[in-house]
Amino acid sequence: MKKQSNFLYQTAEDKTIVWFENSNEYLVLENTTADILKRLSKGISVNEIAEALSKKLSVPLDKTIDFVLDLEKRIYTPNNNPASEIINDYRDIETPESFEFTKYYKVNNVVFKVSYLSENELSFVHPKFSHLVINDTTSFDYQFDVFIEHNYIFLLVDKKLIGSWSRNDIHYFQGKFSMQFIQKIHQKEENEWMGVFHASAVSNKKKSILFLGDSGNGKSTSLALLQANGFTCLADDFVPIDIDKKEVYSFPAAISIKKNSLETLLPMYPELATTAEYNFKRLNKIVRYLKPNNTNYFSHLPCNDLVFIKYEKDAELTCEKISKIDAFQQLIPDSWISPKIENAQIFLDWFSSLNCYRLTYSKNDEMIKTVSKIFNDEL
C-alpha cells in the first residue's frame, strides 16, 4: 500500500486540519484520529497504536485494531476517481487557421489578444471581460487561442498548449483561462499563488474582505451594493491570493448580477437595463455583467476577514463570529489551493489568523453599515 509522502497538521479549536501532499486534500479530524495518523505516518505498527489507544480509551483491543486498520485503509487507499483527462495525445490536433472572433482586452497597460473559433467558445469567456475590450490593434503583449476540437476545448497561450477539457469540465477550462490571465497581469507563476477562492472581494482601499457563500446567497449583489456606496470591487467569483504578501490581488472580471437582483440594483446602475443578458442553462441561471469600479487592476491588499454572507427576505440582521472549523469546511470545497507543501503551510497559517463571520440581512443599509464596522475592527 502506497503511503502518503507528507502531511501537514494545523490545530483549529478542538479539531485538527490535515493536508495530504499526494492528493492536495484537506480533512478535519478529531485530535485523537489525527494523532493516530501521525503515528501511522511515522511507521509505528497498527498493533502498537491500537494497544495504546485501547488503554487510553478503555476500549477492547479488537475494536481499536479495527478502527486503526479502517483509518489506514481510508487514508492510504489510492483515489480511483482521477480527474478526467483527454486520451488524445494531441499529435493530430492543429490550431485552426482562422477564428471567427478576435478580441483585444486591455488591463491597465497590458493588452491580450484572444481568438475564439466560434460564438460557442466566445460565450465561455467573453461576457466577463467585455468591459475591457479595445479597438483592434496590431500591438499586443499576450495571445490566447480558444477552440473546440473532437468535443474538447483547447487553450493555447502564446502558441503553447496549456490544456484541454471535455464539455463536462468547462468550469475547469474557465478556471485555467483565468489563472493564465492573472499570471500575465501580475507577472507571477502558478506556484506563486497561495490559492484562488470562489468569493467576492471588496476593499476600502486599505484592506479587503472576502464574501463567501452558496450560489444565490447574494455575494455578488452585496458587492455591487457596496461598490455603489464608496467601496471598491477587487474581484468577483475568482479571488487570487499570493504567497509572498498573502494579499488579495485584483482580478478584472465583471460582477455577475442575477436576474432577481435587477430591481434592487437598477436605481444605482441604470446601465443594467440595457446590458446584455446571458442564459447559462448548465448553471440554471440568467445573469448580466456589471463593470467593476476598480481603476487599478494591479492593486493588492491584505485580508483579515472572511464573511459568509446571505440575503434573506425579512430577516433581522445578524452578524456573529463562527468557528474556524465551520468556516474552513465551507471555504475549501470551491477553492483551488496550491499543491506545493510550502504554499499549503502558508495557507494554513494565513487561515488561522483570520476572523470568520456569518452575516445574514434583508435591509441593504444595515448590511453596508455592518461591513463598515468589520473594516474598522468595530465588531
Side-chain angles (χ1 to χ4, degrees), residues 149-167:
E149 182 81 25
H150 299 337
N151 290 317
Y152 280 83
I153 188 164
F154 288 79
L155 172 63
L156 279 70
V157 175
D158 294 335
K159 304 299 183 182
K160 178 183 176 183
L161 178 67
I162 300 300
S164 60
W165 298 264
S166 72
R167 289 184 179 273

Side-chain angles (χ1 to χ4, degrees), residues 102-113:
T102 296
K103 302 292 184 181
Y104 293 88
Y105 305 114
K106 188 172 184 180
V107 182
N108 286 23
N109 59 349
V110 181
V111 176
F112 295 85
K113 176 186 178 183

Side-chain angles (χ1 to χ4, degrees), residues 58-332:
S58 299
V59 174
L61 180 60
D62 60 334
K63 299 291 186 184
T64 57
I65 288 176
D66 287 346
F67 178 79
V68 177
L69 285 172
D70 181 62
L71 176 64
E72 184 180 48
K73 181 180 179 181
R74 285 192 289 130
I75 294 299
Y76 292 123
T77 298
N79 183 1
N80 293 320
N81 297 304
S84 59
E85 296 179 1
I86 189 169
I87 297 174
N88 195 300
D89 61 7
Y90 308 122
R91 282 181 294 189
D92 60 344
I93 298 296
E94 295 183 3
T95 304
E97 293 184 3
S98 63
F99 291 79
E100 186 175 352
F101 298 96
T102 296
K103 302 292 184 181
Y104 293 88
Y105 305 114
K106 188 172 184 180
V107 182
N108 286 23
N109 59 349
V110 181
V111 176
F112 295 85
K113 176 186 178 183
V114 184
S115 299
Y116 305 97
L117 183 62
S118 72
E119 191 169 358
N120 193 15
E121 289 89 342
L122 182 82
S123 70
F124 295 136
V125 174
H126 178 67
K128 284 190 173 185
F129 301 106
S130 62
H131 62 285
L132 301 172
V133 167
I134 59 172
N135 293 331
D136 290 359
T137 175
T138 56
S139 176
F140 55 88
D141 299 286
Y142 303 104
Q143 179 174 345
F144 287 42
D145 296 317
V146 181
F147 60 93
I148 293 175
E149 182 81 25
H150 299 337
N151 290 317
Y152 280 83
I153 188 164
F154 288 79
L155 172 63
L156 279 70
V157 175
D158 294 335
K159 304 299 183 182
K160 178 183 176 183
L161 178 67
I162 300 300
S164 60
W165 298 264
S166 72
R167 289 184 179 273
N168 292 329
D169 292 329
I170 291 297
H171 57 296
Y172 290 118
F173 153 72
Q174 292 168 324
K176 181 60 75 172
F177 184 99
S178 294
M179 179 59 82
Q180 289 290 317
F181 211 61
I182 202 75
Q183 286 174 212
K184 304 306 183 188
I185 294 170
H186 295 292
Q187 289 297 292
K188 288 181 180 288
E189 295 301 318
E190 187 169 297
N191 63 12
E192 295 179 87
W193 298 102
M194 180 175 76
V196 176
F197 302 92
H198 179 58
S200 297
V202 63
S203 88
N204 64 351
K205 297 185 171 60
K206 296 178 182 178
K207 60 181 181 177
S208 63
I209 290 175
L210 295 194
F211 291 150
L212 302 107
D214 294 336
S215 179
N217 276 8
K219 296 187 299 292
S220 297
T221 304
S222 301
L223 175 61
L225 287 166
L226 288 159
Q227 174 174 284
N229 283 272
F231 295 89
T232 300
C233 167
L234 272 184
D236 186 44
D237 275 346
F238 185 93
V239 179
I241 298 181
D242 79 323
I243 281 296
D244 182 35
K245 294 182 171 61
K246 297 178 281 296
E247 293 185 347
V248 173
Y249 275 62
S250 173
F251 186 66
I255 304 172
S256 173
I257 303 299
K258 293 187 177 67
K259 196 168 185 175
N260 58 8
S261 298
L262 284 177
E263 184 179 348
T264 298
L265 296 176
L266 275 171
M268 297 164 233
Y269 301 104
E271 66 270 25
L272 283 173
T274 55
T275 300
E277 192 169 78
Y278 299 89
N279 186 357
F280 296 110
K281 293 181 180 178
R282 181 179 60 85
L283 301 174
N284 192 30
K285 65 179 182 180
I286 299 173
V287 303
R288 301 183 188 198
Y289 288 99
L290 176 66
K291 181 181 178 180
N293 65 347
N294 196 349
T295 57
N296 178 13
Y297 291 124
F298 296 149
S299 61
H300 47 87
L301 291 167
C303 174
N304 303 322
D305 306 284
L306 302 185
V307 178
F308 292 86
I309 197 162
K310 184 176 183 180
Y311 171 84
E312 195 172 281
K313 187 178 179 181
D314 299 327
E316 291 291 326
L317 184 138
T318 59
C319 185
E320 58 188 2
K321 279 197 171 184
I322 61 172
S323 79
K324 290 287 182 68
I325 293 299
D326 285 348
F328 189 85
Q329 290 176 320
Q330 293 178 68
L331 174 69
I332 287 297

